[in-house]
Amino acid sequence: MITKAKEILAGAKDKMGNAVHHLEEDLKTYRAGKANPLIFNNVMVDYYGSPTPVPQVASVTTPDAKTLLIQPWEKKMIPLIEKAILDANVGLTPSNNGEAIRCTVPPLTEERRKELIKRAKAAGENAKVSVRNARRDAIEQLKKANKEGMPDDLQKEYEQLVQKETDAFSKKVDELVTVKEKEIMTV
């Protein structure tokens, strides 16, 4: 029975860890006033009929702190990438010279900063919901195992361990969002 309880705890930790990892990746794509190639990870371009992230059809580099340079593998992709950037509404205006696309990162306005902070907090809240859902699922599994013969004290002990993990992962989510807020507000 103890192995069953350990499996349930490990599964919950895994789900909680995935929620935090997803939040980290999502927060990396927020433009905080300096050029960051990760901003294009969620920008999809139509590549032979299938939506593909820009970094998979082009090289994205930062020649300086305020410029992003996109060099498509195929020249015919330039107008498609430009359209995808404009459609994605990431706050950048692309310009091309026939060879590559350049995006100059404008300084963030106060309004845009507040909007980004709201988005970061919402993403953090979604991650916490995922963490709490993993907790709920684990506790339900422990209760089910208890009905199948797991001792009560073992169930209670593992419920407390699941709660400790939930608290730790929720704290990590809060820390990530706070760090991102500071980064966004830094002029």
Side-chain angles (χ1 to χ4, degrees):
M1 277 295 148
I2 195 155
T3 35
K4 175 80 173 155
K6 285 181 179 177
E7 284 174 18
I8 293 170
L9 180 64
K13 277 172 90 168
D14 197 38
K15 286 179 185 173
M16 292 176 190
N18 288 342
V20 170
H21 178 71
H22 180 75
L23 176 66
E24 286 175 324
E25 293 303 309
D26 187 37
L27 291 177
K28 285 179 187 174
T29 64
Y30 290 24
R31 183 173 65 82
K34 55 184 178 279
N36 181 354
L38 296 173
I39 195 169
F40 295 120
N41 284 1
N42 295 334
V43 177
M44 297 297 177
V45 62
D46 181 31
Y47 186 65
Y48 295 106
S50 64
T52 310
V54 169
Q56 291 182 18
V57 296
S59 161
V60 182
T61 55
T62 52
D64 60 61
K66 295 286 183 193
T67 310
L68 289 159
L69 184 65
I70 304 163
Q71 294 177 301
W73 312 138
E74 303 169 32
K75 279 188 183 174
K76 68 179 184 162
M77 292 303 295
I78 289 176
L80 296 172
I81 293 172
E82 277 187 304
K83 182 180 180 338
I85 292 169
L86 290 170
D87 291 347
N89 193 20
V90 288
L92 300 174
T93 307
S95 64
N96 84 65
N97 60 7
E99 297 286 319
I101 300 168
R102 224 174 251 291
C103 294
T104 305
V105 179
L108 288 176
T109 63
E110 189 67 26
E111 184 181 311
R112 180 79 173 140
R113 287 178 198 277
K114 287 179 181 168
E115 183 184 315
L116 284 172
I117 287 174
K118 255 171 59 182
R119 271 184 48 203
K121 285 181 177 177
E125 198 49 51
N126 287 341
K128 282 185 180 179
V129 167
S130 296
V131 167
R132 289 192 299 266
N133 285 343
R135 175 190 64 194
R136 184 196 64 224
D137 293 346
I139 288 176
E140 283 174 6
Q141 288 175 342
L142 286 168
K143 285 180 180 173
K144 184 178 174 206
N146 177 260
K147 286 180 182 161
E148 294 170 359
M150 179 187 284
D152 289 347
D153 58 339
L154 187 64
Q155 176 199 352
K156 293 293 178 214
E157 177 187 342
Y158 272 84
E159 280 182 8
Q160 289 174 346
L161 291 173
V162 168
Q163 185 59 49
K164 276 185 186 171
E165 291 299 327
T166 303
D167 295 342
F169 280 105
S170 291
K171 186 175 180 214
K172 177 84 172 137
V173 166
D174 288 337
E175 289 169 4
L176 288 170
V177 172
T178 303
V179 166
K180 194 62 177 182
E181 274 184 59
K182 284 181 184 159
E183 183 184 322
I184 291 168
M185 288 313 288
T186 305
V187 180

